[in-house]
Amino acid sequence: MTLRHTAIRVEDVEASVEFYEDLFGYEVLREFETDDGTRNVFVGDPADEDTDDPAALQFVEADGPVETGDFEHVALTVEDVDATLDQLDDDRIEDGPITMEEYDSRVAFVTGPEGWGIELVEDL
């Protein structure tokens, strides 16, 4: 069994797409509308050769502000945590960077445009 993608509800699909394009180099891979007109946009890294479907995130359009509730975070791999953090406003950075030698990684926690948590993971 393989995790295919994570779906999150967002009020502003365009702002979320732009954030992930700018920070992670993700691209819109596909989109559709459900029978009730709800827009769904899948973004990911089209160069990811480790999967048949490189979609990492599915943005499901909400008809108003979203509540993040008990959702903790989605973890995404980056080449360089520090360089990625340099692209963000300080108010988006929640914690880190932290070097986790026991896991051969460096991590940081940031907040996306709708308040969803994102863990940035750099393999060392």
Side-chain angles (χ1 to χ4, degrees):
M1 186 177 339
T2 303
L3 178 66
R4 296 296 292 250
H5 62 264
T6 298
I8 57 176
R9 294 186 62 77
V10 298
E11 182 178 14
D12 187 340
V13 172
E14 282 74 25
S16 293
V17 167
E18 182 179 335
F19 177 82
Y20 286 87
E21 284 176 337
D22 292 347
L23 194 61
F24 299 104
Y26 282 5
E27 296 177 14
V28 173
L29 301 172
R30 63 185 177 279
E31 61 182 282
F32 68 89
E33 285 190 11
T34 59
D35 291 341
D36 67 0
T38 302
R39 186 172 173 207
N40 288 257
V41 177
F42 293 78
V43 298
D45 180 359
D48 186 351
E49 297 177 0
D50 294 332
T51 181
D52 292 334
D53 182 3
L57 295 170
Q58 174 186 1
F59 301 129
V60 180
E61 186 175 45
D63 55 6
V66 298
E67 297 291 331
T68 57
D70 292 333
F71 180 84
E72 186 66 31
H73 65 265
V74 60
L76 302 173
T77 301
V78 295
E79 291 291 319
D80 184 329
V81 165
D82 296 279
T84 304
L85 292 176
D86 287 344
Q87 299 177 57
L88 291 171
D89 294 332
D90 288 343
D91 63 338
R92 288 208 184 273
I93 301 169
E94 298 293 325
D95 193 16
I98 304 161
T99 300
M100 302 176 73
E101 293 179 13
E102 64 273 22
Y103 299 109
D104 293 324
S105 63
R106 189 159 168 79
V107 303
F109 296 87
V110 303
T111 304
E114 302 265 349
W116 297 109
I118 305 164
E119 179 182 6
L120 307 174
V121 181
E122 172 188 349
D123 295 323
L124 300 176

